[in-house]
Amino acid sequence: MADSKGHQNLESNSDNRPLTPHMKITGVKINYYHICHTKLWLFSHNIALEHEHENVNIGKQLHEERYTRNKKEVTIDNTISIDFVKQHNGVMELHEIKKTKKMEDAHLRQMLYYLYYLRKRGIEARGVMNYPLLNQTKDVELTPEEEKNIEDDIRGIEQIVTGRMPHPKRIRICPKCAYFEFCFCGEGSED
Ligand code: SF4
């Protein structure tokens, strides 16, 4: 059933039943949901203009230079993709490597989704964000409150993806986004 805006009505989880997404929710979608809803919509509709940006290459290089002794990237169900996984005191640790903290919130939400995804499949884990250029790490724990927030994210993503494309709103990262020409063709970059 759809509402007046054509959005699908999503089932409530207020009685603590497991949330059953109506579409595949990948870690990338969670990330884009916290960066730009237009980007989320375009990506989810397979409008693929993404190309390898220099930052991506730097990220790969960081991974290769600093973490070669650890396991390689782990992909589960073609849905979540973790930079590397370790066991620490008998607990599974998911590690993500980031160059900066500019997108920290989106990166943390993505990690929380990984923890949520595994918990729903009976696997308890904890997360560690690695910022090698800053010489910092940050532990990430899926609390009951964060679990609820992730379920809100899932509902929000479904609302956006099943609706019309959100109108592009220019934000700081736009000039570096692969969809920039698509969103703002003819406007040019201000940066
Ligand atoms: S260019 Fe800006 S508005 Fe368009 S998808 Fe990218 S981040 Fe979003």
Side-chain angles (χ1 to χ4, degrees):
M1 207 167 128
D3 65 16
S4 59
K5 292 180 181 169
H7 295 160
Q8 296 296 313
N9 290 331
L10 304 172
E11 69 185 54
S12 162
N13 197 36
S14 58
D15 59 358
N16 288 329
R17 282 179 293 120
L19 183 71
T20 308
H22 298 128
M23 64 180 67
K24 185 174 187 171
I25 304 291
T26 63
V28 173
K29 286 183 184 175
I30 295 279
N31 183 288
Y32 288 177
Y33 180 63
H34 288 278
I35 292 176
C36 170
H37 291 178
T38 309
K39 188 169 176 131
L40 166 66
W41 191 95
L42 289 166
F43 173 81
S44 302
H45 287 264
N46 297 319
I47 299 172
L49 304 177
E50 291 283 10
H51 51 77
E52 286 222 332
H53 190 273
E54 189 184 357
N55 282 343
V56 176
N57 289 329
I58 290 170
K60 277 186 182 168
Q61 200 179 324
L62 275 174
H63 189 285
E64 282 160 15
E65 287 177 1
R66 300 287 295 268
Y67 299 94
T68 45
R69 280 175 296 138
N70 290 304
K71 302 278 186 299
K72 294 212 167 66
E73 186 173 288
V74 176
T75 301
I76 299 171
D77 297 343
N78 253 347
T79 302
I80 65 172
S81 189
I82 304 149
D83 282 343
F84 64 93
V85 176
K86 285 201 319 192
Q87 289 287 331
H88 183 76
N89 293 335
V91 178
M92 182 187 284
E93 259 184 14
L94 313 185
H95 285 256
E96 284 285 286
I97 306 161
K98 300 299 174 193
K99 181 173 157 255
T100 72
K101 290 188 169 181
K102 277 184 191 160
M103 297 290 166
E104 187 178 26
D105 183 55
H107 291 151
L108 290 176
R109 308 295 302 183
Q110 194 170 349
M111 173 63 90
L112 285 164
Y113 179 63
Y114 294 164
L115 299 175
Y116 172 89
Y117 189 89
L118 292 176
R119 180 174 287 175
K120 293 301 168 192
R121 284 150 186 82
I123 300 169
E124 283 299 318
R126 68 188 199 99
V128 181
M129 305 299 298
N130 296 269
Y131 304 97
L133 294 183
L134 304 173
N135 235 359
Q136 292 177 15
T137 60
K138 183 181 180 96
D139 293 339
V140 184
E141 186 193 351
L142 183 64
T143 62
E145 189 184 355
E146 291 292 8
E147 193 169 334
K148 186 177 167 303
N149 290 337
I150 288 293
E151 296 194 336
D152 288 343
D153 288 355
I154 292 169
R155 291 189 191 90
I157 289 169
E158 292 187 324
Q159 293 267 3
I160 288 165
V161 173
T162 55
R164 290 178 183 274
M165 186 186 95
H167 189 71
K169 287 184 193 148
R170 199 167 172 123
I171 54 174
R172 181 174 49 85
I173 64 150
C174 288
K176 291 184 178 172
C177 174
Y179 294 116
F180 182 75
E181 290 297 325
F182 181 90
C183 291
F184 303 106
C185 56
E187 289 188 22
S189 167
E190 288 171 357
D191 292 355

